[in-house]
Amino acid sequence: MTRGGQSGPDRDIVVTMAGFVRTLRAAGMVADTGRFEAMLRALHTLDVRRGVDAYWAGRLTLCTGPEDIARFDAAFAAYFGGEIPRNAALGLQKTPSRVVGITALDTLDGETDAPTETQELATEASDTDLLRQADFATLTDEQREEVRRMLAQLAAVGPTRRSLRTEAAARGDVDPRRVLRAMLRRGGETVELPRKSKRDRPRRIVLLLDVSGSMEPYAEAYLRFAHTLSRRRPAVEVFTIGTRLTRITRAMSARDPDAALKAVAAAVPDWSGGTRLGELLQAFLDRWGQRGMARGAVVVIASDGWERGEVDLLADQMARLRRLARAVVWVNPHVGKEGFAPTAAGMSAALPHIDRLVSGHSVEAFAELAKLLSEDFLRAARLWPVPRSAA
């Protein structure tokens, strides 16, 4: 790297670090162009030939959160070789990792044995990426354990709403009370005009999770996603639906996901039974939704739409729900699969009253759902038209 009068890093370093960024992307990290440029600026300020400087320049600019640190360390180990700085490795990994060393960055022309390790990392990253996209119903026991870890690490922010309460702000409406108090302190003179704006509060999210027989391969993953959402943000209500409606919000409050699922298993009496979506949705609205739980909330219904009850009742209750809720999201594990069409009786009846129909068969699909729930959206364009047979 050139310093002083030079404007940026050497071209060889840029090419080498571009290859490293591609390795990070293969490992599942974002590592976009903006972060890459930030890393190059950091390397220009530091000494690229010092392993500690190079490590921290990359880690502080390319990692988007704690979940990226282990991937970053593994990528550095595979791409450059060497040891992680001692203070960087403490408490971050269960096993020691190897990372950039001085000799690795000295030889930027590719005369090292790193490509072999890079190929191994690329294979591991490809396996991880495939696992994120794998259907929950096809996983082995070993893969399920890894998927559980991935679900526990999903980001969950959630939508917000404007409160009636206000707070001091740099911009907004003039706050008459604070203006009056300021004038009293200054003997009646007006020196400043304090302003106020409405607060943002978390918008409630209500999850209705189908635990009937047809949803059995996906039920555990849906419950673990609900636990992650409940632990990461306030104002989340969780119910199971099958032949009965069961509120499991309290069970989801357990810190450990396995303990939460055990509590849910003890509380839910209708695992792997039939599905009466219309009746249970009516029960939810009569007991909780109409009284305020569904008002202004984002309601997420996770089901494949197989209805054994009255389809007309489901359509009526979905219309009723849509009038109360801010938005209705339907998660179907079969969306996106080859040949899928929303032709199941329950799905066809509910479709006209849904804002978004999304997939829910994999970790990647849940990541997209979490991102969707972080948006405070209004009625959006429906992803599927109403089938003619249901019109």
Short mmCIF file of all heavy atoms in Angstrom, two decimals, residues 240-277:
data_model
loop_
_atom_site.label_atom_id
_atom_site.label_comp_id
_atom_site.label_asym_id
_atom_site.label_seq_id
_atom_site.Cartn_x
_atom_site.Cartn_y
_atom_site.Cartn_z
N THR A 240 -51.65 -20.74 18.12
CA THR A 240 -51.66 -21.90 17.23
C THR A 240 -53.09 -22.17 16.81
O THR A 240 -54.04 -21.96 17.58
CB THR A 240 -51.08 -23.15 17.91
OG1 THR A 240 -51.86 -23.49 19.06
CG2 THR A 240 -49.63 -22.91 18.31
N ILE A 241 -53.25 -22.65 15.59
CA ILE A 241 -54.57 -22.98 15.06
C ILE A 241 -54.53 -24.36 14.43
O ILE A 241 -53.55 -24.75 13.79
CB ILE A 241 -55.04 -21.93 14.01
CG1 ILE A 241 -53.97 -21.73 12.93
CG2 ILE A 241 -55.38 -20.62 14.67
CD1 ILE A 241 -54.40 -20.75 11.84
N GLY A 242 -55.56 -25.12 14.64
CA GLY A 242 -55.71 -26.47 14.09
C GLY A 242 -57.18 -26.83 14.19
O GLY A 242 -58.01 -26.36 13.42
N THR A 243 -57.49 -27.65 15.20
CA THR A 243 -58.89 -27.86 15.54
C THR A 243 -59.29 -26.97 16.71
O THR A 243 -60.48 -26.85 17.02
CB THR A 243 -59.14 -29.34 15.92
OG1 THR A 243 -58.27 -29.69 17.01
CG2 THR A 243 -58.86 -30.24 14.74
N ARG A 244 -58.29 -26.35 17.37
CA ARG A 244 -58.53 -25.42 18.47
C ARG A 244 -57.64 -24.20 18.30
O ARG A 244 -56.63 -24.23 17.59
CB ARG A 244 -58.24 -26.08 19.82
CG ARG A 244 -59.12 -27.27 20.15
CD ARG A 244 -58.82 -27.79 21.54
NE ARG A 244 -59.60 -28.98 21.86
CZ ARG A 244 -59.56 -29.60 23.05
NH1 ARG A 244 -58.79 -29.10 24.02
NH2 ARG A 244 -60.28 -30.67 23.27
N LEU A 245 -58.02 -23.14 19.00
CA LEU A 245 -57.22 -21.92 19.03
C LEU A 245 -56.55 -21.85 20.40
O LEU A 245 -57.22 -21.89 21.43
CB LEU A 245 -58.10 -20.70 18.81
CG LEU A 245 -57.41 -19.33 18.91
CD1 LEU A 245 -56.49 -19.11 17.72
CD2 LEU A 245 -58.45 -18.21 18.99
N THR A 246 -55.20 -21.74 20.41
CA THR A 246 -54.44 -21.72 21.66
C THR A 246 -53.49 -20.53 21.66
O THR A 246 -52.69 -20.38 20.73
CB THR A 246 -53.64 -23.01 21.86
OG1 THR A 246 -54.50 -24.14 21.71
CG2 THR A 246 -52.99 -23.03 23.23
N ARG A 247 -53.59 -19.73 22.69
CA ARG A 247 -52.68 -18.60 22.84
C ARG A 247 -51.41 -19.08 23.53
O ARG A 247 -51.45 -19.61 24.64
CB ARG A 247 -53.33 -17.50 23.66
CG ARG A 247 -52.51 -16.20 23.72
CD ARG A 247 -53.22 -15.17 24.57
NE ARG A 247 -52.54 -13.89 24.55
CZ ARG A 247 -52.92 -12.83 25.27
NH1 ARG A 247 -53.98 -12.94 26.08
NH2 ARG A 247 -52.25 -11.71 25.21
N ILE A 248 -50.25 -18.91 22.89
CA ILE A 248 -48.98 -19.42 23.42
C ILE A 248 -47.97 -18.29 23.64
O ILE A 248 -46.77 -18.54 23.71
CB ILE A 248 -48.38 -20.49 22.49
CG1 ILE A 248 -48.15 -19.92 21.09
CG2 ILE A 248 -49.27 -21.72 22.43
CD1 ILE A 248 -47.37 -20.85 20.18
N THR A 249 -48.46 -17.06 23.75
CA THR A 249 -47.56 -15.92 23.93
C THR A 249 -46.71 -16.08 25.18
O THR A 249 -45.50 -15.81 25.16
CB THR A 249 -48.37 -14.62 24.01
OG1 THR A 249 -49.18 -14.50 22.83
CG2 THR A 249 -47.46 -13.42 24.12
N ARG A 250 -47.32 -16.52 26.27
CA ARG A 250 -46.56 -16.68 27.52
C ARG A 250 -45.49 -17.76 27.39
O ARG A 250 -44.37 -17.61 27.89
CB ARG A 250 -47.50 -17.00 28.67
CG ARG A 250 -46.81 -17.17 30.01
CD ARG A 250 -47.81 -17.33 31.14
NE ARG A 250 -48.63 -16.14 31.29
CZ ARG A 250 -49.58 -16.00 32.21
NH1 ARG A 250 -49.82 -17.01 33.05
NH2 ARG A 250 -50.27 -14.90 32.29
N ALA A 251 -45.82 -18.86 26.72
CA ALA A 251 -44.84 -19.92 26.53
C ALA A 251 -43.65 -19.44 25.73
O ALA A 251 -42.51 -19.87 25.95
CB ALA A 251 -45.50 -21.12 25.85
N MET A 252 -43.89 -18.52 24.80
CA MET A 252 -42.81 -18.00 23.95
C MET A 252 -41.88 -17.04 24.71
O MET A 252 -40.87 -16.62 24.17
CB MET A 252 -43.41 -17.27 22.75
CG MET A 252 -43.96 -18.21 21.69
SD MET A 252 -42.62 -19.14 20.92
CE MET A 252 -43.57 -20.34 19.96
N SER A 253 -42.23 -16.69 25.93
CA SER A 253 -41.40 -15.75 26.69
C SER A 253 -40.14 -16.40 27.26
O SER A 253 -39.25 -15.70 27.73
CB SER A 253 -42.22 -15.12 27.83
OG SER A 253 -42.62 -16.12 28.76
N ALA A 254 -40.05 -17.74 27.24
CA ALA A 254 -38.86 -18.41 27.73
C ALA A 254 -37.65 -18.01 26.91
O ALA A 254 -37.72 -17.91 25.69
CB ALA A 254 -39.06 -19.92 27.69
N ARG A 255 -36.53 -17.79 27.59
CA ARG A 255 -35.32 -17.34 26.88
C ARG A 255 -34.79 -18.42 25.95
O ARG A 255 -34.38 -18.14 24.82
CB ARG A 255 -34.25 -16.95 27.89
CG ARG A 255 -32.97 -16.41 27.25
CD ARG A 255 -31.98 -16.02 28.32
NE ARG A 255 -32.50 -14.95 29.15
CZ ARG A 255 -32.38 -13.67 28.86
NH1 ARG A 255 -31.76 -13.29 27.76
NH2 ARG A 255 -32.88 -12.75 29.66
N ASP A 256 -34.80 -19.67 26.40
CA ASP A 256 -34.26 -20.77 25.60
C ASP A 256 -35.32 -21.28 24.64
O ASP A 256 -36.45 -21.59 25.06
CB ASP A 256 -33.81 -21.91 26.53
CG ASP A 256 -33.24 -23.07 25.74
OD1 ASP A 256 -32.20 -22.90 25.09
OD2 ASP A 256 -33.86 -24.16 25.77
N PRO A 257 -35.01 -21.38 23.34
CA PRO A 257 -36.03 -21.83 22.37
C PRO A 257 -36.51 -23.25 22.62
O PRO A 257 -37.70 -23.55 22.42
CB PRO A 257 -35.32 -21.69 21.02
CG PRO A 257 -33.87 -21.62 21.32
CD PRO A 257 -33.75 -21.01 22.67
N ASP A 258 -35.62 -24.15 23.07
CA ASP A 258 -36.06 -25.52 23.34
C ASP A 258 -37.04 -25.56 24.51
O ASP A 258 -38.03 -26.30 24.48
CB ASP A 258 -34.84 -26.40 23.64
CG ASP A 258 -33.96 -26.61 22.42
OD1 ASP A 258 -34.50 -26.60 21.30
OD2 ASP A 258 -32.74 -26.75 22.59
N ALA A 259 -36.77 -24.76 25.54
CA ALA A 259 -37.69 -24.69 26.68
C ALA A 259 -39.03 -24.10 26.24
O ALA A 259 -40.09 -24.55 26.70
CB ALA A 259 -37.08 -23.86 27.80
N ALA A 260 -38.98 -23.12 25.36
CA ALA A 260 -40.23 -22.52 24.87
C ALA A 260 -41.06 -23.53 24.09
O ALA A 260 -42.28 -23.62 24.27
CB ALA A 260 -39.90 -21.31 23.99
N LEU A 261 -40.40 -24.33 23.24
CA LEU A 261 -41.14 -25.32 22.47
C LEU A 261 -41.71 -26.43 23.36
O LEU A 261 -42.78 -26.98 23.06
CB LEU A 261 -40.24 -25.91 21.38
CG LEU A 261 -40.46 -25.29 19.99
CD1 LEU A 261 -40.05 -23.82 20.00
CD2 LEU A 261 -39.68 -26.05 18.93
N LYS A 262 -41.01 -26.77 24.43
CA LYS A 262 -41.56 -27.76 25.37
C LYS A 262 -42.82 -27.21 26.04
O LYS A 262 -43.80 -27.94 26.22
CB LYS A 262 -40.51 -28.12 26.42
CG LYS A 262 -39.37 -28.98 25.88
CD LYS A 262 -38.39 -29.32 26.99
CE LYS A 262 -37.24 -30.18 26.44
NZ LYS A 262 -36.25 -30.51 27.50
N ALA A 263 -42.77 -25.94 26.40
CA ALA A 263 -43.95 -25.32 27.01
C ALA A 263 -45.10 -25.26 26.02
O ALA A 263 -46.27 -25.48 26.39
CB ALA A 263 -43.59 -23.92 27.50
N VAL A 264 -44.80 -24.99 24.76
CA VAL A 264 -45.84 -24.96 23.73
C VAL A 264 -46.44 -26.35 23.54
O VAL A 264 -47.66 -26.51 23.43
CB VAL A 264 -45.27 -24.41 22.42
CG1 VAL A 264 -46.27 -24.60 21.28
CG2 VAL A 264 -44.90 -22.94 22.55
N ALA A 265 -45.57 -27.37 23.51
CA ALA A 265 -46.05 -28.74 23.32
C ALA A 265 -47.01 -29.14 24.43
O ALA A 265 -47.98 -29.87 24.20
CB ALA A 265 -44.87 -29.69 23.26
N ALA A 266 -46.74 -28.66 25.65
CA ALA A 266 -47.61 -28.99 26.78
C ALA A 266 -48.92 -28.22 26.73
O ALA A 266 -49.94 -28.69 27.25
CB ALA A 266 -46.88 -28.71 28.09
N ALA A 267 -48.89 -27.04 26.09
CA ALA A 267 -50.08 -26.19 26.09
C ALA A 267 -51.01 -26.46 24.92
O ALA A 267 -52.21 -26.18 25.01
CB ALA A 267 -49.66 -24.71 26.06
N VAL A 268 -50.48 -26.98 23.82
CA VAL A 268 -51.28 -27.15 22.60
C VAL A 268 -51.83 -28.58 22.54
O VAL A 268 -51.06 -29.55 22.48
CB VAL A 268 -50.43 -26.85 21.34
CG1 VAL A 268 -51.25 -27.11 20.08
CG2 VAL A 268 -49.94 -25.41 21.37
N PRO A 269 -53.14 -28.78 22.54
CA PRO A 269 -53.73 -30.12 22.58
C PRO A 269 -54.03 -30.72 21.20
O PRO A 269 -54.44 -31.87 21.12
CB PRO A 269 -55.03 -29.90 23.34
CG PRO A 269 -55.45 -28.52 22.95
CD PRO A 269 -54.17 -27.73 22.73
N ASP A 270 -53.84 -29.94 20.13
CA ASP A 270 -54.35 -30.40 18.83
C ASP A 270 -53.24 -30.48 17.78
O ASP A 270 -53.42 -30.07 16.64
CB ASP A 270 -55.46 -29.47 18.34
CG ASP A 270 -55.01 -28.01 18.28
OD1 ASP A 270 -54.08 -27.63 19.01
OD2 ASP A 270 -55.60 -27.24 17.50
N TRP A 271 -52.10 -31.04 18.14
CA TRP A 271 -51.03 -31.20 17.17
C TRP A 271 -51.45 -32.19 16.08
O TRP A 271 -52.06 -33.23 16.35
CB TRP A 271 -49.76 -31.73 17.85
CG TRP A 271 -49.08 -30.74 18.74
CD1 TRP A 271 -49.18 -30.64 20.09
CD2 TRP A 271 -48.20 -29.70 18.33
NE1 TRP A 271 -48.41 -29.61 20.56
CE2 TRP A 271 -47.79 -29.01 19.50
CE3 TRP A 271 -47.72 -29.27 17.10
CZ2 TRP A 271 -46.93 -27.92 19.47
CZ3 TRP A 271 -46.85 -28.19 17.06
CH2 TRP A 271 -46.47 -27.52 18.23
N SER A 272 -51.08 -31.85 14.84
CA SER A 272 -51.24 -32.77 13.70
C SER A 272 -52.67 -33.25 13.52
O SER A 272 -52.91 -34.38 13.10
CB SER A 272 -50.31 -33.98 13.85
OG SER A 272 -48.97 -33.56 13.96
N GLY A 273 -53.63 -32.38 13.83
CA GLY A 273 -55.03 -32.74 13.60
C GLY A 273 -55.54 -32.14 12.31
O GLY A 273 -54.82 -31.97 11.33
N GLY A 274 -56.81 -31.78 12.31
CA GLY A 274 -57.40 -31.15 11.14
C GLY A 274 -57.23 -29.64 11.18
O GLY A 274 -56.51 -29.09 12.02
N THR A 275 -57.91 -28.97 10.25
CA THR A 275 -57.81 -27.51 10.17
C THR A 275 -59.20 -26.92 10.02
O THR A 275 -59.91 -27.25 9.08
CB THR A 275 -56.95 -27.07 8.96
OG1 THR A 275 -55.76 -27.85 8.92
CG2 THR A 275 -56.60 -25.61 9.07
N ARG A 276 -59.54 -26.01 10.94
CA ARG A 276 -60.81 -25.29 10.85
C ARG A 276 -60.48 -23.81 10.92
O ARG A 276 -60.71 -23.14 11.93
CB ARG A 276 -61.74 -25.71 11.98
CG ARG A 276 -62.15 -27.19 11.91
CD ARG A 276 -63.18 -27.51 12.96
NE ARG A 276 -62.66 -27.27 14.32
CZ ARG A 276 -63.42 -27.22 15.40
NH1 ARG A 276 -64.73 -27.39 15.29
NH2 ARG A 276 -62.89 -27.01 16.59
N LEU A 277 -59.95 -23.30 9.84
CA LEU A 277 -59.45 -21.93 9.81
C LEU A 277 -60.56 -20.92 10.05
O LEU A 277 -60.38 -19.95 10.81
CB LEU A 277 -58.75 -21.65 8.48
CG LEU A 277 -57.49 -22.47 8.18
CD1 LEU A 277 -56.99 -22.17 6.77
CD2 LEU A 277 -56.41 -22.17 9.19
#
